[in-house]
Each structure stands twice: as structure tokens, then as C-alpha cells.
Amino acid sequence: MIAAGGQPMKYPYTISAKLAQFPYRWHWKHGRFIRFLAFTLVGVSPLIITIHKAVHSPENERHWEEIRRKREHSHFDPVH
């Protein structure tokens, strides 16, 4: 469907033209992988959000700041 009322390009040169002419409905109907990818992303997103919140918690950030602080040394510091 052409929104401006013109004809579709023989070859869509720009990314936006390629996205506008991409057959999304056909790929959804005939592409098993596209449906699997979409449903899996929806199903796994709560797990991803939970892991993201745990990794970026203030306690975990303080813990890793302490680990990184221990790594800061020069070549002349004694080994610990």
C-alpha cells in the first residue's frame, strides 16, 4: 500500500522504503522462525527483566566497585 498515492519503487534504495515494502504479513504467516522469535521474546522478557534488576541492584554495584577497587594498583605495589 502506497500512502502518498504513487507507484511503488522498482527497487527501494533507502532503508525506510525497504521497510515500507517488506511483506510482514507473508513472513508471519509462512515463517515459523519469525513467530517463534516473537513468542519467545514475549515469554522470556520477564526473566530478562528480573536478571537485569538483580544485576543492577545497589548492593551488587557496591560489591563490584569493591572488587574493581582491589584491582587498582601499580607495578611497584606489593602483591596482596
Side-chain angles (χ1 to χ4, degrees):
M1 182 172 146
I2 305 299
Q7 296 179 351
M9 298 171 68
K10 290 183 181 179
Y11 181 78
Y13 291 101
T14 63
I15 299 295
S16 60
K18 290 177 183 181
L19 290 173
Q21 292 185 9
F22 190 76
Y24 294 105
R25 183 177 293 156
W26 188 89
H27 280 279
W28 182 261
K29 185 177 180 183
H30 295 97
R32 185 184 313 174
F33 180 72
I34 297 297
R35 289 191 310 267
F36 172 77
L37 188 65
F39 292 138
T40 302
L41 184 62
V42 169
V44 174
S45 61
L47 177 66
I48 293 171
I49 291 169
T50 305
I51 292 171
H52 179 77
K53 286 181 181 178
V55 167
H56 292 292
S57 68
E59 303 88 34
N60 193 37
E61 288 183 357
R62 280 194 299 271
H63 175 70
W64 279 99
E65 283 177 12
E66 181 183 331
I67 291 174
R68 290 185 188 106
R69 202 174 318 114
K70 288 181 181 177
R71 292 180 186 167
E72 293 177 359
H73 64 277
S74 67
H75 294 291
F76 301 107
D77 291 342
V79 179
H80 45 256

